[in-house]
Amino acid sequence: MSEPGLQDRGAQGRLDFLIGLVAVAGAIVTALWIIPAQIEPTSAAGQLSPRFFPTLSVIVIALFGLALMVKNRGYALARLPHPGPALLLETLAWAVWATATMLLLAYAGFIAAGAISCFSGMVLAGQRRRLILCAGASLLLPLAIQQLAWHAFYIQLP
């Protein structure tokens, strides 16, 4: 007989592998298509390109996705039961979150979009015990990033 904890880890490992695969695929699409189509390259020599931070973010996401894939490679093809409808619902929730974040960036600006998407991302990821701490961090993180971008690189975020 197999232990229930081992089956749960197998299903979670397979899910983690698939999440890593989606993160790497999304990073590749973003780096090769979305960033070049949406962000102009810099025109002045010696100036940091506006593509720098999005590209750096995509590289970090791709590295984390690869790390998830490598760590859970043994579970990739395992035949284990998985929660199909729950997985579909969670994927849909993250897709709605990403779309709402992009719309907020376009219409509300970086600080509002960063705070709202950071807090909702923490809640979607399961961090529900300390909501006041999450809300405070969600407010401070976009402000800190904006100040860093301006004072360190003279980039004005929208």
Side-chain angles (χ1 to χ4, degrees):
M1 285 182 83
S2 64
E3 297 178 26
L6 184 61
Q7 282 186 349
D8 290 344
R9 178 62 203 138
Q12 185 63 44
R14 185 175 187 185
L15 179 62
D16 287 348
F17 180 84
L18 292 174
I19 288 170
L21 183 66
V22 168
V24 169
I28 290 171
V29 167
T30 301
L32 297 179
W33 180 44
I34 295 175
I35 291 175
Q38 297 294 324
I39 302 173
E40 297 283 331
T42 186
S43 58
Q47 190 178 25
L48 190 64
S49 174
R51 292 182 180 181
F52 177 75
F53 284 110
T55 305
L56 183 64
S57 299
V58 164
I59 290 170
V60 169
I61 289 169
L63 288 175
F64 281 128
L66 281 173
L68 271 174
M69 290 173 65
V70 168
K71 180 183 175 208
N72 297 294
R73 66 186 176 276
Y75 301 108
L77 300 175
R79 299 239 180 233
L80 296 168
H82 61 84
L87 182 63
L88 182 62
L89 185 62
E90 187 174 344
T91 303
L92 181 64
W94 282 108
V96 168
W97 173 82
T99 304
T101 299
M102 292 302 295
L103 289 172
L104 277 171
L105 277 171
Y107 296 109
F110 177 76
I111 293 176
I116 292 169
S117 70
C118 186
F119 182 74
S120 61
M122 285 183 191
V123 171
L124 275 175
Q127 180 65 2
R128 295 184 179 100
R129 278 194 261 161
R130 297 190 172 119
L131 288 177
I132 299 296
L133 183 63
C134 289
S138 298
L139 289 173
L140 292 176
L141 185 64
L143 289 170
I145 291 172
Q146 183 192 36
Q147 292 301 310
L148 177 70
W150 177 248
H151 291 294
F153 302 107
Y154 299 112
I155 294 175
Q156 183 64 41
L157 297 175

